[in-house]
């Protein structure tokens, strides 16, 4: 959704921009062109392998780009360290990148066998194997239900705990095969592989995906200049909901103090640029099937919160 991102960011020469999810640098390459030689681009990527590939690709832009090998939840602190207090534009293209799925060793795929890992950041301690082999049954039920919206969460958690008593889980395909046997088949209900929802839940848990997003959002709003824009692309309804609800509260803030006497809502702090989320075209989905669940939301800051 490159064109949509650029249209929504409406970049200008000299802008200070953030790409919070650099990946292999596809979006960053166009953003850096959009801000011209007087602009500055700060990029975050928690996976150092992706960062390295992107850095080579963006080499010609030299120190116009500042690379930060860290989680975007440290946005404000990391920008302050390099003397940046305000930004004009930001992109967060959430989730995983192609190498995560294609490289079996990263442990995200149940089609190609690899270790049950799923860490975006290989420096992190928590792996998917640790979650399935050590979390208490109630905790597994909770994350499968909350993050996977899996209706058989309780049963699956129980079966995992029974089985790990004798043999621990270690590989993605072995775990996916186990899930296929244990997840009851509901006629016409299960689209795709039965392990899909459980794998999604584990990935969200391992990378604390919802927590880091919740930590990020107020920082983005604070850092944006009035008139500045931010774009989010999410790939599952849970993260889309977090983004939508955060900005909805800024679009229709409940009045406080004197304002409350006259109206229920005070002036908005942001304007939504996408009344409905944008979705990829049919052509984009055929060229890149992984984009099929993408939803793009964009916002413009219109008032500072004091
Ligand atoms: C969908 S890809 C981004 C693709 C990128 N827009 C491009 O054009 O190549 C998401 C990337 O963001 C990284 N990522 C995900 N969550 C992150 C976080 N909380 N902090 C930093 N990087 C993150 C992932 O490691 C992955 O490389």
């Amino acid at each position: 959704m490159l064109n949509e991102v650029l249209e929504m960011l409406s970049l200008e020469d000299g802008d200070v921009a953030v790409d919070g999810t650099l990946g292999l640098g596809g979006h960053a390459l166009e953003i850096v062109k959009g801000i011209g030689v007087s602009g500055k681009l700060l990029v975050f990527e928690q996976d150092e392998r992706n960062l390295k590939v992107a850095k080579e690709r963006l080499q010609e832009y030299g120190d116009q780009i500042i690379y930060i090998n860290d989680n975007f939840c440290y946005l404000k602190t990391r920008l302050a360290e390099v003397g940046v207090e305000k930004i004009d534009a930001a992109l967060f293209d959430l989730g995983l990148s192609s190498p995560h799925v294609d490289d079996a060793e990263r442990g995200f795929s149940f089609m190609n066998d690899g270790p049950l890992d799923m860490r975006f950041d290989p420096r992190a301690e928590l792996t998917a194997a640790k979650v399935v082999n050590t979390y208490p049954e109630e905790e597994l039920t909770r994350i499968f239900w909350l993050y996977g919206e899996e209706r058989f969460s309780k049963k699956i958690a129980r079966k995992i705990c029974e089985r790990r008593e004798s043999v621990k889980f270690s590989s993605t395909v072995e775990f996916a095969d186990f899930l296929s046997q244990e997840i009851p088949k509901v006629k016409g209900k299960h689209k795709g592989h039965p392990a899909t929802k459980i794998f999604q839940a584990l990935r969200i848990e391992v990378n604390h995906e919802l927590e880091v997003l919740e930590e990020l959002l107020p920082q983005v709003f604070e850092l944006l200049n009035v008139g500045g824009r931010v774009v989010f692309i999410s790939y599952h309804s849970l993260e889309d909901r977090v983004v939508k609800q955060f900005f909805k509260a800024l679009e229709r803030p409940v009045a406080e103090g004197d304002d409350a006497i006259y109206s229920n809502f005070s002036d908005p702090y942001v304007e939504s640029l996408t009344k409905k989320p944008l979705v990829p075209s049919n052509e984009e989905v055929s060229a890149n099937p992984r984009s099929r669940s993408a939803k793009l939301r964009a916002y413009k800051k219109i008032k500072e919160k004091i």
Side-chain angles (χ1 to χ4, degrees):
M1 301 179 90
L2 186 57
N3 292 336
E4 292 87 342
V5 167
L6 294 174
E7 192 186 322
M8 292 296 150
L9 289 179
S10 181
L11 299 164
E12 289 180 5
D13 275 3
D15 273 354
V16 177
V18 166
D19 181 347
T21 47
L22 177 66
L24 299 183
H27 284 106
L29 180 61
E30 298 308 317
I31 293 174
V32 74
K33 288 181 195 163
I35 58 178
V37 286
S38 56
K40 192 130 220 94
L41 174 62
L42 299 111
V43 296
F44 283 72
E45 173 55 64
Q46 56 179 345
D47 184 335
E48 64 181 345
R49 292 185 225 187
N50 281 353
L51 187 87
K52 195 162 169 258
V53 175
K55 206 169 178 177
E56 266 167 38
R57 190 172 176 192
L58 299 163
Q59 207 175 7
E60 66 178 283
Y61 296 93
D63 56 14
Q64 212 191 327
I65 305 180
I66 297 179
Y67 297 87
I68 301 167
N69 180 202
D70 209 343
N71 197 300
F72 58 53
C73 70
Y74 303 114
L75 184 70
K76 196 177 158 191
T77 319
R78 301 306 305 261
L79 293 197
E81 282 167 9
V82 291
V84 173
E85 283 176 5
K86 282 288 182 190
I87 59 175
D88 303 295
L91 167 68
F92 298 91
D93 180 12
L94 303 166
L96 36 71
S97 60
S98 314
H100 290 130
V101 190
D102 297 340
D103 180 357
E105 282 305 304
R106 301 304 301 270
F108 288 93
S109 166
F110 46 73
M111 308 303 275
N112 304 312
D113 202 15
L116 255 183
D117 190 320
M118 300 193 195
R119 287 171 298 172
F120 286 145
D121 186 343
R123 298 166 297 188
E125 278 185 10
L126 188 62
T127 63
K130 218 169 189 176
V131 174
V132 295
N133 289 321
T134 67
Y135 272 28
E137 188 179 322
E138 304 71 47
E139 195 55 15
L140 286 177
T141 307
R142 189 184 74 84
I143 64 168
F144 294 160
W145 175 246
L146 275 182
Y147 302 157
E149 296 173 327
E150 168 59 64
R151 61 187 286 202
F152 299 112
S153 300
K154 209 168 157 51
K155 176 174 191 288
I156 297 166
R158 181 163 37 85
K159 291 284 178 188
I160 288 174
C161 292
E162 280 168 18
R163 144 79 204 246
R164 74 187 190 193
E165 290 274 305
S166 49
V167 195
K168 301 263 188 255
F169 295 97
S170 60
S171 100
T172 55
V173 167
E174 172 208 30
F175 184 57
D177 289 347
F178 170 83
L179 292 172
S180 311
Q181 285 159 23
E182 298 303 339
I183 297 176
K185 310 259 173 315
V186 182
K187 257 197 183 162
K189 280 270 179 185
H190 270 297
K191 284 191 224 137
H193 196 288
T196 307
K197 290 178 176 178
I198 298 295
F199 268 60
Q200 171 180 300
L202 285 175
R203 205 194 85 198
I204 294 176
E205 173 65 13
V206 166
N207 297 293
H208 309 295
E209 287 179 40
L210 299 180
E211 290 98 323
V212 295
L213 185 56
E214 278 164 4
E215 283 174 40
L216 167 77
L217 293 170
Q219 299 177 50
V220 177
F221 173 75
E222 189 187 329
L223 287 163
L224 274 178
N225 279 315
V226 170
R229 292 156 173 243
V230 59
V231 171
F232 291 89
I233 307 176
S234 52
Y235 296 85
H236 54 75
S237 58
L238 300 165
E239 57 192 10
D240 182 54
R241 200 178 304 151
V242 172
V243 172
K244 187 173 85 177
Q245 286 177 352
F246 176 82
F247 284 100
K248 204 170 158 195
L250 292 171
E251 252 185 294
R252 301 201 76 197
V254 177
E256 286 174 26
D258 292 349
D259 280 0
I261 302 166
Y262 303 107
S263 63
N264 288 332
F265 297 102
S266 55
D267 291 345
Y269 297 105
V270 296
E271 176 191 334
S272 167
L273 304 172
T274 45
K275 295 299 167 214
K276 278 197 173 159
L278 305 182
V279 293
S281 62
N282 292 339
E283 293 80 54
E284 183 163 356
V285 175
S286 339
N288 173 16
R290 278 179 205 144
S291 70
R292 68 184 174 279
S293 54
K295 279 188 179 165
L296 183 153
R297 293 187 189 271
Y299 301 91
K300 180 176 162 183
K301 179 162 169 178
I302 54 176
K303 196 175 118 181
E304 205 66 73
K305 223 174 176 183
I306 320 154

